Amino acid sequence: MSHPPAPYAVVVPTVGRPCLADCLGALAASRGPAPRRIVVVDDRPGEPPPGEAPGSLPLDALGALADRAVLLRSGGRGPAAARNTGLRGVTEPWAVFLDDDVRVGPSWRTELVRDLAAASPDTGGVQGVLRVPLPARRRPTDWERNTAGLERALWATADMAYRTEALRAVGGFDERFRRAFREDADLALRVIAAGWLIRRGTRRTEHPVRPADRWVSLRAQRGNADDALMVRLHGPDWWARAAAPRGRIRRHAATTAAGVLALALAAAGRRRVAALAAAGWLLGTAEFARARIAPGPRTRDEVLTMAVTSAAVPVLATWHRLAGELRHRSAGAWQGGAA
């Protein structure tokens, strides 16, 4: 005797990017039991412009599912706070989080319901399988390779289903994570620590590489402050438990220290020693640039971008890590924002 499918809601935080229409359209076109509720959370900062109608976001892309949509605002406080805002509007047993730049597969709803039905009572979360389409006729750029890392990531909220009771038990997402970085790993580690299991499902979702300018890698270094918060909250071994890449922060710190030392020694008139320190900085920078250029398309534009940003990334990474250590030096356990 078959059981009715588990009721679920879909939560989509957005800052109003054009890709939202594709995301909602793919959800509507998918085959299978529909969500009882679709909570779209507008996380654009500030109050809505005067006269702006609720339809300013493309909810009509949901087609026949539009009457299930709920639009909430979270005031530009970041994706963690936006997801908590959406969670507060969920009464279904399962809350399924999608990013606004993904496109679920044609049978995603069927596969999702199957994933949820297969979840044991102690399973608190079931993640989807992400696919990042890359160019077929050339090597991927540095930015494309970084995005493709989502295919191997654990617990990415680009497509992640959680039992609503599990989320509320741990207080939802930690809103001190203001970027779309590490907030998913932090939540999952707390859910697991609370005694729940997290499984990998079978449903498939496409995560295209979003457009980005040549300086995107510099802005991404802000995430090093979030790594400092992760260490504070989960200890220095959180990387291994989350199967997360450790990154190059130690090498970046050494390269930055060599550069700062070279400048200080030069200012003090110690030119020979300053030259040695400068050589260390140059070697570290060259090694980093080569590691980013070698697997890429090696076009003139990509090589130039990698050369310039490779000189700046170590400094920015080190700065943001130190700033994060200072800012979060007395951070305690998250007290909850999803009641």
Side-chain angles (χ1 to χ4, degrees):
M1 181 177 183
S2 61
H3 297 282
Y8 69 96
V10 172
V11 178
V12 184
T14 185
V15 290
R17 296 187 293 188
C19 54
L20 174 63
D22 292 333
C23 174
L24 299 180
L27 176 62
S30 180
R31 298 184 298 273
R36 282 191 180 177
R37 192 186 321 260
I38 302 167
V39 185
V40 177
V41 185
D42 184 351
D43 195 44
R44 290 176 291 184
E47 295 297 320
E52 181 182 276
S56 62
L57 292 178
L59 301 187
D60 57 348
L62 286 167
L65 299 184
D67 61 346
R68 301 174 185 235
V70 177
L71 178 62
L72 302 177
R73 294 187 182 274
S74 51
R77 295 180 293 129
R83 293 189 188 107
N84 283 343
T85 297
L87 180 60
R88 286 191 285 272
V90 172
T91 59
E92 290 73 18
W94 288 92
V96 185
F97 296 94
L98 294 176
D99 285 350
D100 69 354
D101 57 352
V102 304
R103 293 194 289 262
V104 301
S107 58
W108 181 86
R109 282 157 38 187
T110 297
E111 295 163 355
L112 168 68
V113 168
R114 188 182 303 130
D115 285 346
L116 302 185
S120 58
D122 57 351
T123 296
V126 185
Q127 73 177 93
V129 178
L130 296 178
R131 175 183 174 273
V132 179
L134 295 175
R137 298 185 178 182
R138 63 164 173 81
R139 296 180 178 182
T141 64
D142 181 69
W143 172 240
E144 291 166 342
R145 291 195 306 275
N146 286 340
T147 303
L150 287 169
E151 294 185 342
R152 302 180 297 277
L154 293 181
W155 318 316
T157 40
D159 179 355
M160 186 73 198
Y162 276 109
R163 287 191 192 272
T164 307
E165 64 172 305
L167 291 180
R168 294 205 167 113
V170 301
F173 290 85
D174 189 333
E175 296 178 12
R176 291 171 294 188
F177 292 92
R178 298 294 298 268
R179 288 165 291 276
F181 188 69
R182 303 305 191 204
E183 85 291 351
D184 45 11
D186 165 75
L187 174 66
L189 289 173
R190 287 187 285 115
V191 168
I192 292 170
W196 297 92
L197 302 174
I198 298 180
R199 304 295 193 189
R200 185 181 292 272
T202 59
R203 64 190 186 278
R204 295 183 176 273
T205 296
E206 185 175 275
H207 190 303
V209 180
R210 70 176 186 267
D213 60 42
R214 63 170 53 191
W215 312 119
V216 64
S217 62
L218 303 186
R219 294 191 296 276
Q221 301 314 309
R222 298 169 184 165
N224 284 280
D226 299 315
D227 282 345
L229 179 56
M230 287 293 288
V231 172
R232 177 69 187 175
L233 296 175
H234 300 287
D237 67 336
W238 78 265
W239 309 88
R241 287 184 284 137
R246 187 62 183 263
R248 300 174 60 105
I249 188 61
R250 293 181 179 177
R251 294 187 187 184
H252 288 336
T255 300
T256 300
V260 171
L261 183 60
L263 292 174
L265 290 171
R270 303 182 62 181
R271 297 182 178 178
R272 181 171 297 179
V273 186
L276 291 175
W281 171 84
L282 183 60
L283 285 174
T285 301
E287 184 276 330
F288 180 43
R290 182 184 181 281
R292 299 171 74 199
I293 292 170
R298 303 183 196 177
T299 62
R300 179 178 179 181
D301 188 65
E302 176 77 356
V303 170
L304 179 60
T305 299
M306 293 301 98
V308 173
T309 57
S310 293
V313 162
V315 177
L316 290 172
T318 304
W319 169 262
H320 286 297
R321 182 57 182 264
L322 291 175
E325 296 280 1
L326 181 62
R327 183 183 316 131
H328 302 303
R329 63 188 182 280
S330 47
W334 174 242
Q335 297 303 310

